[in-house]
Amino acid sequence: MKLLPYLPLMILLFVPGTVHAAMEAEHLETHAEFVARKGYPESMEQWSDRHLLKAVDARVLHVVIYLGSQRGRLYANEQVVMDFPVCTGDRDHPTPAGTFTVLEKDKDHYSDLYGLAMPCFMRLTRDGIGLHAGPVFRTPQSHGCIRMTRESCVSLFNRIRLGTPVRIVAECVMKH
């Protein structure tokens, strides 16, 4: 009879995955833990602070693309909100380094030059460089644009606005 009050807990202990799942739900991985993982930055995984993403004001957001590591980050002021893999320009079609702003957002962009759909296109230059969803190979293979996974691109597209600063930097040393 003394075990009766503990019966629900005992049942949970014997149901595979329930206690672990409950404990995991309480712990959200920090960005520092994500970048400390083996294989980062080569990973194809995206990290985001879901709570901050929901609450952040778009006016404080900016994007940094790291050409050397083929990663991008969305920041709210100086706090990392998202960290995602990218595919930038190859040697013959390099992605330009510098500071840009989002000039145009086109959810259903189509490139006449390349004959390709470029979903969630965010234009950075008048001559066609932008961020968009596309194949991400973790090495520079685009014609100058910054390609992102569909998941990362849609999330970014839905949060940033026209005028959002985007900095593209060559160094692969990233501020954690």
Side-chain angles (χ1 to χ4, degrees), residues 23-31 33 47-52:
M23 290 170 46
E24 195 174 274
E26 293 174 14
H27 177 270
L28 295 175
E29 183 179 43
T30 66
H31 186 252
E33 291 168 331
W47 175 90
S48 63
D49 181 326
R50 293 181 298 228
H51 299 299
L52 189 54

Side-chain angles (χ1 to χ4, degrees), residues 93-159:
H93 308 91
T95 300
T99 301
F100 305 89
T101 59
V102 176
L103 303 172
E104 171 191 7
K105 289 175 62 179
D106 183 355
K107 187 174 183 176
D108 300 310
H109 185 74
Y110 185 83
S111 169
D112 291 327
L113 180 62
Y114 296 106
L116 293 170
M118 296 179 174
C120 297
F121 187 76
M122 295 161 272
R123 182 180 302 278
L124 301 178
T125 69
R126 296 277 174 223
D127 58 347
I129 301 295
L131 300 120
H132 63 83
V136 176
F137 301 113
R138 304 298 295 118
T139 56
Q141 294 187 25
S142 82
H143 284 148
C145 281
I146 297 123
R147 295 191 307 225
M148 305 169 60
T149 64
R150 185 175 244 351
E151 177 189 6
S152 299
C153 197
V154 168
S155 185
L156 189 69
F157 186 89
N158 289 335
R159 284 167 177 78

Side-chain angles (χ1 to χ4, degrees), residues 2-132:
K2 291 183 179 188
L3 292 177
L4 198 55
Y6 299 104
L7 190 58
L9 181 58
M10 291 170 61
I11 290 170
L12 276 178
L13 290 174
F14 294 108
V15 177
T18 54
V19 172
H20 177 65
M23 290 170 46
E24 195 174 274
E26 293 174 14
H27 177 270
L28 295 175
E29 183 179 43
T30 66
H31 186 252
E33 291 168 331
F34 177 72
V35 300
R37 284 185 187 176
K38 184 176 179 160
Y40 177 88
E42 294 82 16
S43 167
M44 283 294 293
E45 292 183 70
Q46 169 189 313
W47 175 90
S48 63
D49 181 326
R50 293 181 298 228
H51 299 299
L52 189 54
L53 270 175
K54 290 177 185 175
V56 72
D57 183 339
R59 293 175 291 188
V60 300
L61 295 176
H62 66 278
V63 178
V64 180
I65 303 298
Y66 299 92
L67 298 172
S69 63
Q70 296 290 286
R71 301 274 324 164
R73 289 186 179 163
L74 175 65
Y75 289 88
N77 294 317
E78 295 303 313
Q79 186 172 358
V80 179
V81 180
M82 273 178 58
D83 186 318
F84 48 90
V86 300
C87 182
T88 60
D90 63 21
R91 190 174 54 193
D92 296 329
H93 308 91
T95 300
T99 301
F100 305 89
T101 59
V102 176
L103 303 172
E104 171 191 7
K105 289 175 62 179
D106 183 355
K107 187 174 183 176
D108 300 310
H109 185 74
Y110 185 83
S111 169
D112 291 327
L113 180 62
Y114 296 106
L116 293 170
M118 296 179 174
C120 297
F121 187 76
M122 295 161 272
R123 182 180 302 278
L124 301 178
T125 69
R126 296 277 174 223
D127 58 347
I129 301 295
L131 300 120
H132 63 83

